[in-house]
Amino acid sequence: RKPGCCCMLVLLVALGVCEASRGREWAHHGASMFADLTPREMRDVRDYLQGKPELGLTATRGKDLKKNSILLMELHLPRKHEALRTLDRGQAKPTRQARVVVQFGNQAQPNITEFIVSPLPFPTSYTGKTFKGDRPIRFESRPITAAEYSHIIDILQKITAKVHKVLFETTGGFSFHNCTNRCLTFSDIAPRGLESGERRTWIMLQKFVEGYFIHPVGFEVLVNHKDLDPERWTVEKVWYNGQYFDNVEELAERYEKGTLEKVQLPDHDDEDLYSTYIPRGHSNTRTDIHGPKLVEPQGPRYHVDGNFVEYAGWSFAFRVRSSAGLQIFDLRFNGERIAYEVSLQEAIAFYSGDTPAAMQTKYIDAGWAMGTVDYELAPGIDCPEIATFLDLHHYYDTDKPMRYKNALCVFEMTTGMPLRRHFNSNFQGSYNFFGGLENHVLVLRTTSTVYNYDYIWDFLFYQNGVMESRVSATGYIHATFFTPNGLHYGSKVYNFVLGNLHTHLIHYKVDLDIAGRENSFESMDLKYVNFTNPWSHKHSVVQSKLVKTQHQTERSAAFRFGKKFPRYVHFYNPNEKNKWGHQKGYRIQYNSHANSVLPRGWREENGISWSRYPLAVTRHKDSEPTSSSIYTQNDPWEPVVSFEDYIPSQPWMTLLCIIPDLWLWNYNLGFLHVPHSEDIPNTATPGNSVGFFLRPFNFFDEDPSLSSRSTVIVRPDKEGKPKVQRWTPEVVGHCVTDKPFFYNGTYAGV
């Protein structure tokens, strides 16, 4: 042994520990770059902009539509290269900025303008923000607001007053006009028209009872509300029980003459109970005791500090973007960054049906500010009682920040399935050893209740370097009035109620940084090979062989629906290898049943061009931060964000052979839902969850969960008695069991 080797080894270890500690400090320090705007920042931005006389801003609430007001305010993310200087070098954080959407209705040419306001928390400047290609935002594409809804209610009052007798006598005493305890309500359909520049909405009436979404009454009306003067709004079409009318007067006249093909809904309250959560039917489960609960015998093993989370080698920052939803940033495992960003981009539900409302329904949920409808989570139902609950704040269609109490939760849970295990039999009634490791996972969860549907958004972090993203759908189906022809588009789920078929698609952005920003992308497939058996020449061997395809252009790496999807898709760093000579990488594995929802280029499909691809990979461009916008819902025909523009055909590699920073626009996760009677009252989560995994693929030298001290090994001693080896307390805790772990792997005949 050479003198000084031990000292050098100690120095290297010390440097490694110091570097890891410094990396953790920088990650923690930088997490606040991604934190959502605080209520104070929101108020400061509001006051600053409202203090600018040239903008002429007034309060958002109030019924006047001809006004200039703030619609939305959220964090404007720093550019990636700026954020990385903080995360990787410990430099000062970039200036915090806010993205503000302002609707200018009080001027000759109403418009929507976006501003970047900075610096926070004491803003001194605002600049205009544009979309790629400087596409203008049509005023008609703006999301609908509470002020506009108030006028929709007003015109519905006028409309239903003219057909009050029809509705009252055919619904069992329910009315919209001047109602008391038996009221009608409504659901409005989007997109609002058939081409760009329109603002015409089909509205259907429902009984206002618990779960009114599945109580249609067979009355739908098309209202043109493009004009900012509600007095100039018009009724363009009426639909009642399968019949179309040009106006409500015609419907009322036909009813009075007795020539209307009418329907008589039940008039007793018992018929309205089917949509409630009130238990009914015989139960075979004991009700005098509770079911199993999740416990932390010695307290939590994760740490949450603001928007920074650490757990079992994982660390990440999170936010809930008001316009789109849950996002995580700077995702690291054991100090190495796996992804810079994993973020929800869009969720859609496209329907089919026989009524005009049903055939028009194509919900694009960012247009309903999907990130702001994350309401309070219920302990023991939405999240375990032991979870850490956090509040969220949003500024959307409001005059002050809104607090959503306990709207996000973090918890560790056991999956009830081992992460890995093996029973090694000696085939003589005993065993050589048993080894197993509990599968614990950290969950980051929030929800979005976009009117009838509830989406449960999860990010899950496993001990072996695997991350899972999962969405589960529940809530009420979007139902329309039953017609015989409607059975081509769904199922009858109750008297006069059709559950309409629809397809859910969810879009994510995944910015992987595998061992650095310079990543390559390949797909893997199998092909059969046939060759002479080397040890028996008169026979042949047929087996599968790996075929790897390196993708060099965005067009090559955009996989279309209808074509064969690769068995493996793999991101790797060509400059970094593991101990065994493999390039360090991660693969993406899907759990989805998605397919396209409309033919390519068909009208509304232009607004969701990302739905053409199960997966697409593009180069990092600051001008392409998102795949959708809040304006797509009401103008999918000429969208301000067109994902198709992100997919040119030029090579990724430059003439200087610089390896690019790639983004994965991750999969249209989704499923077809043909409603059925078991969707009453609600769609249940089992079978309605889809997602994807980020799985290490030669990134490590071995399974990193080997570091877990929750492993248990059992070997028989010389007398055949089990000898347990473990690295955690022998007794779990009295709230779980007061008995120590015991295992006897023998087996014998009886």
Side-chain angles (χ1 to χ4, degrees):
R1 181 181 296 179
K2 295 181 180 179
C5 278
C6 287
C7 294
M8 181 63 71
L9 180 61
V10 170
L11 178 61
L12 290 174
V13 171
L15 288 173
V17 172
C18 180
E19 183 175 347
S21 175
R22 185 172 57 186
R24 187 266 174 197
E25 180 183 338
W26 289 348
H28 182 252
H29 167 69
S32 61
M33 291 187 296
F34 309 109
D36 287 310
L37 298 179
T38 66
R40 175 190 170 184
E41 289 174 324
M42 293 175 183
R43 288 190 292 267
D44 287 342
V45 170
R46 175 201 61 195
D47 294 345
Y48 170 72
L49 291 178
Q50 289 184 346
K52 292 296 178 181
E54 67 272 20
L55 297 179
L57 298 185
T58 61
T60 298
R61 290 301 175 120
K63 296 188 68 171
D64 187 14
L65 299 181
K66 294 180 180 179
K67 62 187 174 186
N68 303 341
S69 60
I70 296 172
L71 174 66
L72 170 72
M73 188 189 305
E74 64 184 12
L75 176 72
H76 180 65
L77 288 170
R79 294 185 176 184
K80 182 176 180 179
H81 71 274
E82 297 172 337
L84 289 180
R85 286 200 290 262
T86 300
L87 297 171
D88 294 344
R89 304 179 195 172
Q91 295 183 8
K93 288 177 282 190
T95 299
R96 274 177 69 81
Q97 299 177 317
R99 172 202 177 202
V100 183
V101 178
V102 176
Q103 46 188 4
F104 289 98
N106 187 24
Q107 52 192 55
Q109 294 296 325
N111 69 82
I112 296 290
T113 303
E114 297 199 0
F115 296 111
I116 304 302
V117 180
S118 66
L120 302 184
F122 305 111
T124 58
S125 68
Y126 67 93
T127 57
K129 177 185 178 296
T130 59
F131 288 91
K132 185 174 182 177
D134 292 327
R135 287 189 175 94
I137 307 169
R138 282 186 176 271
F139 192 64
E140 295 80 14
S141 71
R142 70 194 185 280
I144 199 164
T145 62
E148 196 167 3
Y149 272 127
S150 70
H151 292 290
I152 287 178
I153 292 172
D154 288 345
I155 195 172
L156 285 177
Q157 292 277 6
K158 297 174 183 178
I159 292 169
T160 56
K162 297 176 181 179
V163 288
H164 172 74
K165 186 176 181 181
V166 181
L167 295 172
F168 188 84
E169 293 182 357
T170 62
T171 61
F174 283 77
S175 63
F176 193 93
H177 168 71
N178 198 25
C179 77
T180 53
N181 63 333
R182 287 195 167 197
C183 296
L184 295 174
T185 186
F186 70 94
S187 287
D188 54 315
I189 306 303
R192 305 179 191 279
L194 296 174
E195 59 185 32
S196 188
E198 294 187 351
R199 202 164 176 85
R200 300 187 296 156
T201 299
W202 275 102
I203 298 169
M204 64 175 176
L205 297 188
Q206 300 142 322
K207 292 183 178 180
F208 189 42
V209 296
E210 286 188 12
Y212 62 84
F213 305 103
I214 53 177
H215 287 270
V217 299
F219 180 89
E220 301 177 1
V221 59
L222 177 61
V223 175
N224 188 327
H225 53 111
K226 179 177 178 177
D227 202 288
L228 291 179
D229 180 1
E231 294 300 320
R232 301 176 66 180
W233 291 4
T234 58
V235 173
E236 297 190 348
K237 217 72 174 174
V238 177
W239 182 92
Y240 174 79
N241 189 28
Q243 305 152 84
Y244 285 92
F245 305 91
D246 290 329
N247 51 64
V248 289
E249 290 82 2
E250 181 185 356
L251 169 60
E253 182 182 351
R254 291 270 304 275
Y255 184 79
E256 289 296 337
K257 290 181 178 179
T259 59
L260 180 69
E261 190 176 322
K262 66 178 182 179
V263 63
Q264 187 64 50
L265 301 182
D267 60 356
H268 50 86
D269 293 333
D270 291 346
E271 279 292 319
D272 299 327
L273 292 176
Y274 67 89
S275 60
T276 74
Y277 271 69
I278 298 173
R280 51 190 179 267
H282 176 70
S283 174
N284 292 308
T285 305
R286 290 180 60 181
T287 58
D288 58 335
I289 58 174
H290 282 285
K293 294 289 184 180
L294 198 61
V295 298
E296 293 170 330
Q298 284 84 37
R301 303 194 299 177
Y302 60 89
H303 176 67
V304 180
D305 185 3
N307 72 318
F308 183 67
V309 181
E310 293 177 289
Y311 167 75
W314 290 102
S315 70
F316 58 89
F318 69 86
R319 71 179 286 220
V320 178
R321 182 181 170 212
S322 296
S323 53
L326 190 59
Q327 303 179 326
I328 58 174
F329 294 89
D330 193 28
L331 176 65
R332 305 188 189 200
F333 188 76
N334 290 339
E336 290 192 84
R337 183 176 299 113
I338 306 300
Y340 175 77
E341 176 184 352
V342 184
S343 60
L344 175 63
Q345 295 289 305
E346 186 61 275
I348 68 171
F350 276 37
Y351 286 76
S352 299
D354 188 46
T355 79
M359 61 183 73
Q360 180 68 7
T361 303
K362 299 172 181 65
Y363 288 140
I364 305 172
D365 288 341
W368 306 81
M370 178 170 59
T372 67
V373 286
D374 39 21
Y375 303 108
E376 183 174 0
L377 300 169
I381 299 174
D382 293 320
C383 310
E385 291 90 342
I386 61 168
T388 298
F389 290 86
L390 301 172
D391 296 345
L392 298 175
H393 296 86
H394 298 292
Y395 197 107
Y396 175 72
D397 192 22
T398 182
D399 288 310
K400 60 183 179 181
M402 299 296 293
R403 174 194 176 203
Y404 293 77
K405 182 181 178 183
N406 295 343
L408 181 142
C409 69
V410 184
F411 59 93
E412 184 184 10
M413 71 174 186
T414 175
T415 65
M417 174 77 70
L419 184 69
R420 60 173 185 271
R421 59 94 68 190
H422 179 66
F423 177 84
N424 193 250
S425 174
N426 68 357
F427 304 104
Q428 297 177 5
S430 188
Y431 61 105
N432 299 314
F433 77 92
F434 165 83
L437 173 61
E438 290 179 88
N439 190 11
H440 291 107
V441 59
L442 186 77
V443 181
L444 176 70
R445 172 174 294 169
T446 189
T447 62
S448 295
T449 301
V450 192
Y451 287 85
N452 57 301
Y453 252 108
D454 295 66
Y455 293 105
I456 302 171
W457 310 103
D458 287 340
F459 285 121
L460 301 95
F461 306 89
Y462 294 82
Q463 301 169 75
N464 61 340
V466 172
M467 192 213 79
E468 179 185 0
S469 177
R470 183 169 64 203
V471 55
S472 304
T474 179
Y476 287 95
I477 59 174
H478 178 64
T480 56
F481 197 74
F482 177 80
T483 63
N485 195 49
L487 291 174
H488 295 293
Y489 308 106
S491 305
K492 185 176 183 179
V493 294
Y494 211 79
N495 294 326
F496 307 106
V497 184
L498 183 82
N500 298 79
L501 73 85
H502 55 282
T503 297
H504 294 274
L505 291 182
I506 316 294
H507 203 229
Y508 284 88
K509 170 185 173 184
V510 181
D511 182 1
L512 292 171
D513 281 355
I514 307 300
R517 295 184 68 178
E518 297 78 20
N519 286 181
S520 295
F521 173 65
E522 71 176 4
S523 57
M524 301 184 195
D525 268 306
L526 299 178
K527 75 172 184 179
Y528 292 122
V529 291
N530 187 330
F531 56 89
T532 301
N533 191 318
W535 50 269
S536 180
H537 291 176
K538 66 179 181 178
H539 296 95
S540 295
V541 174
V542 175
Q543 61 185 19
S544 296
K545 177 182 179 180
L546 270 178
V547 178
K548 299 182 180 181
T549 302
Q550 305 294 320
H551 297 274
Q552 303 295 340
T553 68
E554 274 105 337
R555 186 57 62 188
S556 164
F559 301 95
R560 289 188 180 279
F561 276 120
K563 295 187 177 181
K564 183 182 178 183
F565 191 77
R567 304 287 288 273
Y568 272 38
V569 286
H570 173 218
F571 277 77
Y572 65 92
N573 190 315
N575 302 317
E576 297 288 336
K577 296 182 178 180
N578 71 359
K579 182 179 180 179
W580 315 112
H582 295 292
Q583 290 156 329
K584 300 180 72 169
Y586 259 71
R587 61 173 286 228
I588 300 91
Q589 178 179 317
Y590 303 102
N591 169 30
S592 177
H593 316 288
N595 211 325
S596 58
V597 293
L598 284 175
R600 178 184 173 91
W602 177 260
R603 296 182 178 178
E604 295 87 358
E605 193 270 349
N606 289 314
I608 54 164
S609 55
W610 50 265
S611 70
R612 300 168 184 172
Y613 308 99
L615 177 145
V617 180
T618 67
R619 291 184 64 174
H620 171 101
K621 298 185 185 73
D622 288 327
S623 61
E624 299 173 352
T626 63
S627 62
S628 190
S629 80
I630 62 173
Y631 314 108
T632 305
Q633 173 66 94
N634 293 328
D635 191 355
W637 309 281
E638 297 178 12
V640 295
V641 175
S642 176
F643 182 75
E644 191 66 30
D645 294 346
Y646 296 2
I647 309 176
S649 299
Q650 67 261 31
W652 286 330
M653 302 282 283
T654 67
L655 293 176
L656 298 176
C657 294
I658 298 174
I659 301 171
D661 182 2
L662 301 180
W663 282 351
L664 166 68
W665 297 95
N666 192 25
Y667 207 63
N668 295 325
L669 306 172
F671 56 92
L672 168 67
H673 185 187
V674 181
H676 43 89
S677 55
E678 292 81 9
D679 283 314
I680 300 298
N682 263 187
T683 295
T685 54
N688 289 315
S689 296
V690 294
F692 64 91
F693 293 86
L694 299 180
R695 299 182 58 184
F697 192 78
N698 295 316
F699 188 85
F700 304 101
D701 297 333
E702 59 183 2
D703 186 340
S705 69
L706 280 168
S707 64
S708 172
R709 296 319 193 247
S710 296
T711 298
V712 174
I713 302 173
V714 185
R715 302 182 181 92
D717 62 16
K718 293 181 180 180
E719 287 76 33
K721 296 179 181 179
K723 181 180 180 182
V724 179
Q725 188 175 13
R726 65 182 308 155
W727 291 264
T728 53
E730 184 176 6
V731 176
V732 178
H734 71 276
C735 55
V736 179
T737 176
D738 56 3
K739 298 178 181 178
F741 176 86
F742 178 78
Y743 184 88
N744 186 338
T746 60
Y747 54 100
V750 293

